[in-house]
Amino acid sequence: MTAIPLDQFDAVLGSTSTEISSVALGGHILSTSDEWFAPASSLLKVGPAPSLKGQFGPKGALFDGWETRRHNPTYDWVILRLGPSAGGRLIGFDVDTANFNGNEAPEISIHALALTPEEEAQTGNALAQNDALWEEVVPVSPCGPSQRHLFKVAEGKGDKIYTHIKLHMIPDGGIARFRVYGVIPPPPVGQGEGEEVNAENSALNVLDLAHCLNGGRVVFTDDQHFGAGSNIILPGRGKDMGDGWETRRSRAKGHFNWAIIKLGEPGFLSYAEVDTAHFLGNFPESVELLGTVYNHSSTVPSAAAEWITLLPRTKLGPGRRHFFPISGGSYITHVMVKMHPDGGIKRVRLHGRRAATIISAAMDVNALPVIPVPQDIQDPLPSATSDPFAPVSALPPSTISRGTCKCNTTTGIVLHSTFVAAVHLTAEAFKPYGAVIDGPSAQNPDKWKPFKIVNQGTAKKYLNLAEILNKYPSEAGAKTNVHVYRCDPAPTLPFEVKLLERHRFTTQAFIPMVPVDGKQKGFLVVVALNGQDDKPDLNTLAVFLATTEQAIQYHPGIWHHPMIALGKQATDFACIVNESVTQPQLDCDEVEV
């Protein structure tokens, strides 16, 4: 058996791998044999499973995890797609039976599969039916009640890249959480996450070499009391302080905390981004970046490694994306992030060029074209009189910070040469403009949405999320229609806004229809209230970033931009709107802004 003692987690898994099943990377459940008592999707929840002891639903006692029916003569199974699109090399697994006691899974085995994109599109349900497709990476192993079980990948299976995992629960029962740890291989040139491609010379491509989907890993963190150090290289900006790196409060003079990032591949760095999103009263006073070259077998550079200064100690601010030029143009494999004296950092991005392509092209590093450094971007901050406990993303649109930005990779819009950053879409923030239509999710865990149990106890019906309104005059003969818009993704960001439109007499809902394995990344919603001159009041203009799990409905008369889809492929939106049969000129007004 390949069990790992719990006290060896950091040495065997934590410092050597990434949680490649994480929903933050795109990991998701594809199918399961049974989830009668509790859904398999709970296996991938971010936090530990809470106890729901004493709580009951229509099917019995509630558990936060995956639980199946009794009396299975063989085994239950669940299939998940690993987050990285290209998959990853497996290191180990964490099977947690927290709170399952008397109904825990007695035994498990774990199996893996590698599929090309073409095979993945064609295989479908055959994944579940054909056991011969799968390779055993953890043999049948016992599980105990309410505890974590760590397993190392079977010998000889750690060098191959896999895309899918199948967990067998033998014969039935419950598992609270399931984590897959592995190494994400650096992507091919031109296919990196967020890679800026130079059409004339791919050696000049620019990408975030620290990004986890580009192979970066946090290999050491000295303190992660409130938030894991590995969070700083996750995609996006997250939803709250919980998915950043946060340390204890320090009392000692001269104290600092540090984390070490191993770049996905060696590179020549040009600028860094240090993001303190959501850290408003607990951001570090300053940050310092050091770099080294370390190619030894051990993962973490030793104390003898020579570190050079990439960024001297520099002050930080709250809720801000800070951009800093990196000096020297040195060949770097690892970067140390030092926060003084303590606090929280949300993300660290290290932008540069791959060393291998520069060296193979025999290019002079000192003669490379300069990569422009973006200007800092400040998040909207609470005022002195606002609720200190209100999330930043829920602030009214009038508090949105604007500033000129020459960067073409920022999520937001440009209007009249002024950059407006997007804030995360929430029902409260969007209320002046319309309604947000969604259910609780990993991105929006809103437990207060009213619902009732329907369909013989198999579904929750979330109630009255949006009201469809028809305010057309009766002679217009308006009727409700459903359309589908296929929207191409925005070619560049920030997106330049040149016009707005409105529908004076009707609500208009847009509901994204996205495949599970799609490359869509949500959409931008640009809105403004009507002004006294019957034109958009640009002082009320707001930009929201919506996920593919959220839909929106505009109030009648709200000025808005047509849908701005994000990602690498078109997004289909179902649209519900009232339209006039006899007077179509009443349907839509457009103005240039």
Side-chain angles (χ1 to χ4, degrees):
M1 194 174 65
T2 54
I4 303 168
L6 286 178
D7 61 3
Q8 294 297 307
F9 174 83
D10 285 337
V12 179
L13 298 179
S15 65
T16 63
S17 61
T18 299
E19 185 190 334
I20 56 178
S21 58
S22 169
V23 293
L25 305 188
H28 57 276
I29 301 297
L30 289 177
S31 57
T32 181
S33 61
D34 184 276
E35 48 186 351
W36 175 258
F37 289 109
S41 59
S42 296
L43 289 170
L44 302 184
K45 286 184 178 179
V46 175
S51 172
L52 302 177
K53 187 174 182 179
Q55 300 183 46
F56 291 83
K59 296 181 181 179
L62 298 180
F63 287 87
D64 191 335
W66 171 43
E67 187 181 7
T68 66
R69 294 173 175 88
R70 296 186 185 223
H71 313 310
N72 191 328
T74 54
Y75 59 84
D76 283 309
W77 52 264
V78 63
I79 295 174
L80 66 93
R81 177 58 164 90
L82 297 177
S85 58
R89 291 194 298 272
L90 302 178
I91 301 292
F93 308 87
D94 185 347
V95 180
D96 188 356
T97 57
N99 306 309
F100 287 99
N101 190 338
N103 56 346
E104 75 279 358
E107 294 179 311
I108 61 94
S109 64
I110 302 173
H111 309 258
L113 179 65
L115 292 180
T116 65
E118 295 74 21
E119 292 171 334
E120 193 170 354
Q122 297 171 4
T123 303
N125 291 331
L127 284 178
Q129 307 302 326
N130 189 353
D131 278 348
L133 291 171
W134 297 87
E135 299 178 32
E136 185 179 78
V137 293
V138 172
V140 175
S141 304
C143 288
S146 197
Q147 59 188 286
R148 290 173 64 193
H149 309 78
L150 305 181
F151 302 99
K152 193 172 183 180
V153 68
E155 187 173 351
K157 301 296 184 181
D159 295 328
K160 186 175 179 179
I161 292 177
Y162 295 97
T163 56
H164 294 70
I165 298 294
K166 187 178 184 184
L167 171 65
H168 288 186
M169 179 161 57
I170 307 169
D172 51 48
I175 296 172
R177 297 289 186 266
F178 179 53
R179 318 283 192 206
V180 181
Y181 292 91
V183 175
I184 302 172
V189 173
Q191 298 180 29
E193 181 71 16
E195 183 167 352
E196 298 177 29
V197 176
N198 186 301
E200 297 179 355
N201 188 346
S202 61
L204 299 179
N205 290 2
V206 178
L207 74 163
D208 173 13
L209 290 165
H211 199 293
C212 62
L213 292 179
N214 291 334
R217 301 204 312 272
V218 174
V219 296
F220 178 82
T221 312
D222 77 316
D223 183 327
Q224 43 192 354
H225 187 78
F226 294 109
S230 57
N231 287 337
I232 60 176
I233 58 172
L234 289 178
R237 301 186 73 205
K239 61 184 179 64
D240 54 35
M241 287 189 296
D243 53 16
W245 170 37
E246 186 179 5
T247 67
R248 295 175 177 87
R249 294 186 185 227
S250 62
R251 309 300 180 187
K253 187 176 181 179
H255 179 86
F256 60 84
N257 294 118
W258 75 97
I260 297 176
I261 300 172
K262 182 181 186 297
L263 302 182
E265 51 189 310
F268 297 105
L269 300 179
S270 293
Y271 72 90
E273 176 186 345
V274 179
D275 189 354
T276 55
H278 303 118
F279 290 103
L280 305 184
N282 50 353
F283 61 95
E285 181 272 337
S286 56
V287 69
E288 184 179 359
L289 300 179
L290 307 174
T292 192
V293 177
Y294 190 78
N295 295 315
H296 301 281
S297 57
S298 60
T299 305
V300 182
S302 67
E306 293 186 13
W307 295 89
I308 62 172
T309 298
L310 303 177
L311 174 71
R313 184 171 174 177
T314 305
K315 282 189 173 295
L316 297 178
R320 183 181 304 164
R321 296 175 65 190
H322 309 75
F323 296 93
F324 304 113
I326 289 179
S327 59
S330 299
Y331 179 98
I332 297 295
T333 63
H334 292 69
V335 172
M336 180 187 294
V337 182
K338 295 172 71 173
M339 65 162 80
H340 297 267
D342 54 43
I345 292 175
K346 197 57 177 289
R347 299 289 185 264
V348 174
R349 309 295 187 201
L350 300 169
H351 296 270
R353 297 181 171 111
R354 296 176 177 87
T357 57
I358 298 293
I359 293 171
S360 64
M363 302 178 72
D364 182 355
V365 176
N366 297 316
L368 296 176
V370 174
I371 301 173
V373 180
Q375 296 181 7
D376 287 4
I377 302 172
Q378 176 67 60
D379 288 339
L381 299 176
S383 69
T385 57
S386 65
D387 178 4
F389 300 105
V392 171
S393 59
L395 294 173
S398 60
T399 67
I400 291 176
S401 171
R402 297 184 175 94
T404 302
C405 178
K406 299 179 181 178
C407 173
N408 64 357
T409 59
T410 303
T411 303
I413 67 161
V414 169
L415 177 66
H416 300 162
S417 301
T418 297
F419 173 74
V420 184
V423 297
H424 289 289
L425 179 68
T426 66
E428 184 64 26
F430 195 64
K431 188 181 296 183
Y433 309 105
V436 176
I437 306 169
D438 61 359
S441 67
Q443 290 76 27
N444 180 31
D446 186 353
K447 62 182 178 182
W448 303 114
K449 289 181 182 291
F451 68 88
K452 64 180 181 180
I453 302 296
V454 297
N455 298 351
Q456 294 78 49
T458 63
K460 292 179 180 178
K461 179 181 179 181
Y462 291 92
L463 305 171
N464 306 323
L465 299 182
E467 181 182 3
I468 300 174
L469 298 177
N470 182 348
K471 296 189 174 183
Y472 279 85
S474 58
E475 61 270 20
K479 66 176 184 178
T480 304
N481 291 321
V482 178
H483 309 292
V484 171
Y485 288 74
R486 175 158 293 178
C487 300
D488 291 332
T492 60
L493 290 176
F495 185 92
E496 186 175 5
V497 168
K498 298 180 179 180
L499 64 84
L500 295 174
E501 66 180 45
R502 69 175 176 184
H503 306 271
R504 285 179 288 164
F505 302 106
T506 179
T507 52
Q508 188 182 35
F510 284 91
I511 304 167
M513 302 185 297
V514 178
V516 171
D517 58 348
K519 296 181 180 179
Q520 295 85 349
K521 299 293 184 182
F523 54 101
L524 294 181
V525 182
V526 182
V527 285
L529 302 180
N530 195 41
Q532 294 183 353
D533 58 354
D534 201 34
K535 293 181 179 179
D537 180 359
L538 298 184
N539 290 321
T540 67
L541 184 129
V543 185
F544 297 93
L545 174 61
T547 72
T548 54
E549 296 176 329
Q550 295 176 300
I552 55 99
Q553 178 172 279
Y554 300 118
H555 292 324
I558 290 296
W559 293 98
H560 58 275
H561 192 277
M563 305 308 292
I564 304 172
L566 304 177
K568 296 182 179 179
Q569 65 187 75
T571 300
D572 286 351
F573 293 88
C575 175
I576 304 174
V577 65
N578 297 296
E579 293 171 316
S580 173
V581 175
T582 60
Q583 302 179 49
Q585 69 275 12
L586 298 178
D587 289 340
C588 183
D589 302 323
E590 288 186 354
V591 296
E592 294 184 356
V593 293

